[in-house]
Amino acid sequence: MQDTKTRNTNRLKSFLINLANIFSFVSKTFRKMFLPPYESREILRQCYQIGVKTFFLVGFTSFLVGIVFTRQSRPSLLEFGAESWLPSLVSIAIVRALGPLVTALICAGRVGSNIGAELGSMNVSEQIDAMEVSGTDPFRYLVVTRVVATTLMVPLLVIYADTLMLFGSFIATAVFNQTSLPLFFYQVFDSLEFVDIFSSVLKGFLFGMAIGLVSCYCGYNSGRGTVGVGRAANISVVTSLFLVFILDLLSLQVIELFR
Amino acid sequence: MDKNARHIAEENSSAIGTETVIRIRNLYKSFDDTPVLNGVDLDLKKGENLVVLGRSGTGKSVLIKCIVELITPDAGEIEVLGKDVRRLNSEQINALRRDVGFSFQLSALYDSMTVRENLEFPLKRNLKIFDQKILNEKVMNALEEVSMEHAVDQWPADLSGGQKKRIGIARTLILNPKIMLYDEPTAGLDPITSEEINELVLEVQKRHGTSSIIITHDLTCARAIANRVIFLYNGKNHFDGPFDELTQTQDPLLKTFLNYYNIEAR
């Protein structure tokens, strides 16, 4: 009985310590993000690593999702004789939900695991300590730059993904219906409001920040050894995905207030 | 090879000064309620090679990480080049780190940078040198010292363990430190490469007049390069004296340690 009580107390203690560590990590990131010196070169390098190198993957996946989603929505609309509503339906679904979500899932998998494993292995092989004795603040150089890069690049990738999904949707629509690219995009923009596009970008911003913070936290505080590196990569992806869905739900509630 | 290293060591021992460059008193450090350092005292004289011996987990690496503030001790005094390390702010710590080079156990070369970029990193970050001509010159000089000029554009992943150690030492030397801290310089190396690293440590001491603390449990390394040896046990000093005195000890704990490494306690 005493053992269970002690175990539970230890668990609670460990949970609270973790929570305090996360809070301290996040507040330190924001403090260092806005205070000089700024690591602008490293931020640009990270933007390239995170944004440009995910460009093809996001583009290709989004294009396919656009085709598949349109093909699967068409029969239901056809049943009600509402096939002409297809561009409106897909554009709302893509810009409001699918575009940001697909981009965030890809980035959580590719970028999150990459950051978690990279920082984890740097921690294990004492590269972070070496950076510190070289007169560099490793937190600013490794963590802040990556969080800034994911926060800036994911919204851009979301806009790119939205565009390619809509293009994929146009291809799928054009196979069965007589439509032109200008007409399709006229119908798309006719059904979209400013708040839809704004919410898409805002979600990208929030998802990017969450992926950056989570994966940097897991990598920077990874356990020792190769097991620690593997765990850091794994937890980065799982927690990022979990947070993306929670943020998606929360942002939906907030955006609904402005609609 | 071993004789050559010892010959250099004997030559270097005449250059040991009286000035204390590192002074540590009553150093304590615990991790999760487990004490690692339990009141360590240490003095390093100018030009001296001090080897810190001890079994794994006795706090040898923690001790030298405390010297450069990579780990903050729980209690105790650390004075480096006359400065109280525990009272320095981050800028003063960075300035001190220019004078204290740290060679890591796993070399700690940055995987995402070439050898050249690895060596340029401390110059750009700590000394704020950005002129490519000066950078090239300093990088090539440092690589020449460790006989690794040919590896300047290679990636760390393409180098052997011994080569990585050499580059790691070159990256430390590039800031012209007054004190060198070596964490297990021969760990994981074959006997011949270990001897080469021992000679390199002595060459560095001779050329730059550095004082060094070498953390190891390799007694061959200790015999080749030590002017003095400290043996840590349970986070405390258990022995402090020349290597020859260590081998003549009648202390059962030290005898067991020496026998384990096939060095006869006479």
Side-chain angles (χ1 to χ4, degrees):
Chain A
M1 194 65 184
Q2 182 62 35
D3 277 350
T4 317
K5 198 180 168 188
T6 316
R7 219 170 24 241
N8 286 342
T9 314
N10 286 343
R11 271 187 201 153
L12 181 70
K13 195 176 156 188
S14 150
F15 172 75
L16 290 174
I17 289 171
N18 269 335
L19 211 64
N21 285 342
I22 292 169
F23 181 75
S24 145
F25 186 89
V26 173
S27 58
K28 195 173 169 186
T29 307
F30 284 114
R31 202 174 54 243
K32 296 206 171 192
M33 195 183 283
F34 296 107
L35 290 175
Y38 306 110
E39 300 282 357
S40 23
R41 266 189 172 199
E42 186 58 17
I43 289 175
L44 279 178
R45 201 178 74 84
Q46 287 305 324
C47 284
Y48 175 78
Q49 291 289 334
I50 291 163
V52 180
K53 289 197 170 174
T54 322
F55 213 61
F56 176 75
L57 189 63
V58 168
F60 185 68
T61 316
S62 303
F63 182 71
L64 292 184
V65 169
I67 294 175
V68 172
F69 181 65
T70 310
R71 289 287 307 270
Q72 289 193 336
S73 307
R74 191 175 167 272
S76 306
L77 291 176
L78 204 59
E79 229 171 86
F80 297 103
E83 204 186 351
S84 59
W85 287 4
L86 195 58
S88 309
L89 174 86
V90 291
S91 62
I92 289 172
I94 284 171
V95 174
R96 283 188 192 175
L98 269 179
L101 201 60
V102 167
T103 311
L105 296 185
I106 293 170
C107 288
R110 194 197 170 277
V111 177
S113 61
N114 194 17
I115 293 177
E118 190 183 10
L119 294 191
S121 73
M122 285 186 83
N123 195 10
V124 167
S125 58
E126 296 181 308
Q127 290 176 50
I128 294 180
D129 285 345
M131 207 164 261
E132 200 164 342
V133 294
S134 290
T136 300
D137 176 355
F139 196 90
R140 198 181 282 278
Y141 191 82
L142 298 171
V143 175
V144 175
T145 53
R146 280 164 175 78
V147 175
V148 170
T150 51
T151 311
L152 293 178
M153 292 317 286
V154 175
L156 292 179
L157 287 170
V158 167
I159 296 171
Y160 170 66
D162 285 351
T163 313
L164 279 192
M165 265 187 209
L166 289 170
F167 192 71
S169 175
F170 162 72
I171 302 278
T173 312
V175 171
F176 299 100
N177 300 62
Q178 278 205 329
T179 185
S180 64
L181 193 64
L183 178 64
F184 179 83
F185 275 95
Y186 173 78
Q187 286 176 294
V188 164
F189 285 110
D190 196 40
S191 53
L192 287 176
E193 292 170 34
F194 171 74
V195 73
D196 295 324
I197 297 166
F198 176 75
S199 75
S200 196
V201 176
L202 180 73
K203 278 182 184 180
F205 185 80
L206 292 174
F207 294 164
M209 190 177 284
I211 292 167
L213 281 170
V214 166
S215 39
C216 283
Y217 178 79
C218 294
Y220 204 77
N221 297 297
S222 71
R224 295 278 168 183
T226 45
V227 178
V229 178
R231 242 176 91 80
N234 185 272
I235 296 174
S236 297
V237 176
V238 174
T239 316
S240 297
L241 291 176
F242 186 64
L243 259 185
V244 161
F245 286 116
I246 290 178
L247 284 173
D248 198 23
L249 186 68
L250 290 177
S251 58
L252 178 72
Q253 302 300 320
V254 175
I255 288 158
E256 283 303 314
L257 299 174
F258 297 96
R259 214 180 287 282
Chain B
M1 284 281 210
D2 189 26
K3 280 179 186 168
N4 190 16
R6 269 198 279 175
H7 176 68
I8 304 173
E10 277 160 22
E11 263 182 36
N12 288 0
S13 63
S14 59
I16 298 173
T18 50
E19 184 193 337
T20 303
V21 288
I22 294 182
R23 182 180 168 277
I24 293 175
R25 290 290 176 272
N26 281 320
L27 198 67
Y28 287 86
K29 179 68 190 173
S30 302
F31 292 102
D32 295 333
D33 303 330
T34 309
V36 176
L37 297 178
N38 227 341
V40 172
D41 294 332
L42 181 150
D43 282 304
L44 177 70
K45 301 284 179 201
K46 193 177 179 188
E48 185 182 30
N49 268 351
L50 172 66
V51 169
V52 180
L53 285 172
R55 290 175 57 189
S56 299
T58 47
K60 305 186 296 290
S61 298
V62 173
L63 173 68
I64 55 168
K65 284 186 177 175
C66 286
I67 294 172
V68 285
E69 270 288 298
L70 279 176
I71 293 176
T72 308
D74 299 333
E77 293 167 35
I78 305 174
E79 221 177 84
V80 180
L81 298 166
K83 289 167 193 152
D84 184 348
V85 173
R86 300 192 65 195
R87 284 172 194 270
L88 301 180
N89 62 30
S90 61
E91 270 181 33
Q92 291 165 324
I93 285 284
N94 274 344
L96 184 76
R97 282 171 180 163
R98 267 175 236 153
D99 291 329
V100 185
F102 198 113
S103 170
F104 288 87
Q105 186 175 355
L106 301 168
S107 309
L109 298 180
Y110 310 124
D111 294 328
S112 58
M113 300 181 196
T114 62
V115 168
R116 182 192 298 278
E117 289 164 341
N118 260 284
L119 267 70
E120 283 176 356
F121 193 82
L123 292 174
K124 286 179 179 173
R125 310 292 306 192
N126 209 324
L127 298 184
K128 312 286 177 208
I129 298 174
F130 295 100
D131 185 327
Q132 198 55 50
K133 204 177 155 193
I134 299 172
L135 288 172
N136 285 345
E137 196 183 315
K138 283 189 178 281
V139 166
M140 291 318 290
N141 285 344
L143 286 176
E144 221 170 273
E145 284 207 53
V146 296
S147 313
M148 287 297 295
E149 309 93 297
H150 59 279
V152 65
D153 290 316
Q154 280 185 269
W155 293 90
D158 300 329
L159 302 171
S160 69
Q163 288 175 321
K164 280 184 189 170
K165 292 270 183 193
R166 285 173 177 273
I167 304 286
I169 293 173
R171 187 176 63 183
T172 310
L173 284 178
I174 209 159
L175 293 176
N176 288 322
K178 293 176 184 147
I179 299 169
M180 285 289 288
L181 306 175
Y182 297 93
D183 192 2
E184 307 270 7
T186 56
L189 301 178
D190 64 83
I192 296 170
T193 314
S194 295
E195 273 307 317
E196 287 172 0
I197 296 293
N198 290 342
E199 278 184 31
L200 180 63
V201 170
L202 291 166
E203 281 296 329
V204 166
Q205 183 199 17
K206 194 177 172 183
R207 260 184 252 149
H208 295 263
T210 51
S211 320
S212 313
I213 296 179
I214 301 109
I215 300 296
T216 188
H217 49 239
D218 174 1
L219 284 173
T220 320
C221 164
R223 180 161 56 185
I225 58 182
N227 298 125
R228 189 159 58 92
V229 173
I230 284 183
F231 186 86
L232 289 188
Y233 182 69
N234 278 347
K236 283 183 191 166
N237 301 43
H238 188 80
F239 172 87
D240 188 343
F243 188 83
D244 288 341
E245 199 180 300
L246 177 77
T247 56
Q248 287 160 13
T249 185
Q250 292 308 313
D251 183 302
L253 180 79
L254 292 175
K255 273 176 111 174
T256 314
F257 184 80
L258 295 172
N259 288 339
Y260 187 77
Y261 286 94
N262 290 326
I263 289 193
E264 286 293 315
R266 282 167 284 179

